Amino acid sequence: MQFTGLYDTIIVRDIFSRQLACKTEALDKNIRKERQLFMEENALIKLDDEYVEQMFLGQTENPIAMSGLSLTQVEKIIDQMVEYKKLRMMYTCALKEIRTKFDVLNTEFSVRYQRNPINFITMRVKSTHSIFEKMRRQDQKLSMKYLIENINDIAGIRVICSYVDDIYLLAQALIAQDDIHLIREKDYISNPKPNGYRSLHLIVSVPVFFTDQKKDMKVEVQIRTIAMDFWASLEHEMKYKKEIPNQQVIADRLKNCADVISETDMTMLDLRREIEAAGNMEKENDTEQLEIESLLEKIKRLDDPIL
């Protein structure tokens, strides 16, 4: 009987040892798994903060070394890239929505007033390099949430008009549309920048309808005259030439040019108004025969192509 009791004790001890070993092994596996995840996440953070930013900023020509990353890291990087690409697509669609609205307004003017207020339109989605540089200047790390909420000029459209009054006319017509929400307005025409820059800036939100959702997207709208755009384009080009002596003298001369251009804009607007007023007086003094001829001329234009 003693032998049997001793044998049973040995069996129980063996079973207990095996159970303990299994639990210890499982615990070790969990610890190793958590440690691996922690290392992967921290490695990914390091990759995002350093390597990826350097790559987008053009500071390295080497591709991401996928062989040195885990599957989890690669998946996270790919997911991030896909989401960023989708976001750029959404901003592009938002620009198309705003562009269409301005095209409609321009077409309406050509029919109702026989003139087009818009000379031309340009659009752009801010480059990835510029986005990273802006976030770096704001001392922010790469974050889709921060990018969407705080970078308002990712999508930008510039509308170039012939006359100053057309700027405000188009801006009011855009803002009055019930699907447009005005977020911010900066009038650099009434209050020019110290360097002489003039333009009307609007940050608006426009709904864009996709297959599975409606998304309100922010767009920066710049509206200026041909003369203002001429000055801004040359000033933008010149300010990047850093090695020019007497920079303050050049800045003062550029400011003077901006003031002269502004005076020219107002002179051209006055001339247009005088011509329109003279035309209205001529219409009032028309004989019945001239009125008939004018009416016939308008009827001929009914078949003119609108686009």
Side-chain angles (χ1 to χ4, degrees), residues 116-129:
N116 297 95
I118 297 175
N119 195 271
F120 64 91
I121 296 174
T122 60
M123 305 185 302
R124 66 101 180 94
V125 176
K126 202 175 191 71
S127 70
T128 303
H129 181 277

Side-chain angles (χ1 to χ4, degrees), residues 57-296:
L57 291 173
Q59 295 174 0
T60 176
E61 297 179 355
N62 299 322
I64 296 177
M66 292 296 184
S67 59
L69 304 177
S70 70
L71 180 60
T72 303
Q73 286 177 287
V74 173
E75 288 176 347
K76 286 184 178 181
I77 292 172
I78 292 174
D79 288 344
Q80 208 170 32
M81 288 180 173
V82 170
E83 287 302 311
Y84 177 70
K85 187 70 175 177
K86 284 169 58 180
L87 185 64
R88 291 185 68 85
M89 175 272 294
M90 290 179 176
Y91 279 115
T92 300
C93 293
L95 284 174
K96 291 180 179 181
E97 293 281 354
I98 298 294
R99 170 67 188 255
T100 299
K101 291 179 180 295
F102 279 117
D103 285 340
V104 169
L105 292 172
N106 201 40
T107 301
E108 179 192 2
F109 261 74
S110 69
V111 173
R112 293 183 64 180
Y113 306 109
Q114 285 77 54
R115 73 179 188 88
N116 297 95
I118 297 175
N119 195 271
F120 64 91
I121 296 174
T122 60
M123 305 185 302
R124 66 101 180 94
V125 176
K126 202 175 191 71
S127 70
T128 303
H129 181 277
S130 296
I131 292 171
F132 269 74
E133 285 284 12
K134 190 163 190 175
M135 293 181 73
R136 176 170 286 185
R137 288 196 301 270
Q138 296 176 2
D139 196 27
Q140 293 291 330
K141 296 297 181 182
L142 175 61
S143 163
M144 295 285 283
K145 184 174 184 295
Y146 181 87
L147 189 151
I148 294 169
E149 293 178 356
N150 297 281
I151 308 297
N152 294 324
D153 62 344
I154 294 177
I157 184 167
R158 186 172 294 154
V159 182
I160 310 303
C161 302
S162 299
Y163 302 99
V164 175
D165 62 340
D166 289 334
I167 295 174
Y168 296 101
L169 187 65
L170 288 169
Q172 289 302 317
L174 176 69
I175 295 168
Q177 299 185 22
D178 57 12
D179 59 343
I180 293 292
H181 171 61
L182 177 64
I183 298 173
R184 189 170 69 232
E185 176 179 347
K186 287 187 177 180
D187 189 347
Y188 295 117
I189 300 172
S190 300
N191 302 287
K193 288 186 177 182
N195 66 347
Y197 175 85
R198 288 170 171 83
S199 182
L200 180 65
H201 289 199
L202 308 173
I203 302 295
V204 301
S205 174
V206 60
V208 183
F209 292 84
F210 301 100
T211 54
D212 58 347
Q213 63 178 320
K214 181 185 82 169
K215 193 81 172 175
D216 290 322
M217 305 298 298
K218 287 188 287 188
V219 176
E220 183 190 47
V221 181
Q222 296 181 3
I223 314 177
R224 59 177 71 151
T225 64
I226 300 169
M228 293 174 190
D229 189 61
F230 158 75
W231 181 90
S233 299
L234 292 182
E235 191 272 345
H236 180 77
E237 179 183 330
M238 290 179 183
K239 75 179 182 181
Y240 285 102
K241 299 182 184 299
K242 304 292 186 182
E243 303 302 325
I244 300 176
N246 303 318
Q247 290 190 21
Q248 187 57 49
V249 174
I250 293 173
D252 292 341
R253 293 178 65 187
L254 279 169
K255 171 67 167 57
N256 182 61
C257 287
D259 294 339
V260 171
I261 286 172
S262 178
E263 291 176 8
T264 303
D265 259 337
M266 298 311 298
T267 300
M268 296 301 290
L269 177 58
D270 289 340
L271 286 170
R272 193 205 78 200
R273 287 172 173 170
E274 287 180 18
I275 292 169
E276 289 175 347
N280 291 334
M281 290 181 60
E282 184 179 339
K283 287 179 182 178
E284 292 175 2
N285 297 327
D286 273 349
T287 63
E288 184 177 347
Q289 181 61 34
L290 288 175
E291 288 179 358
I292 293 173
E293 290 178 2
S294 176
L295 180 61
L296 290 173

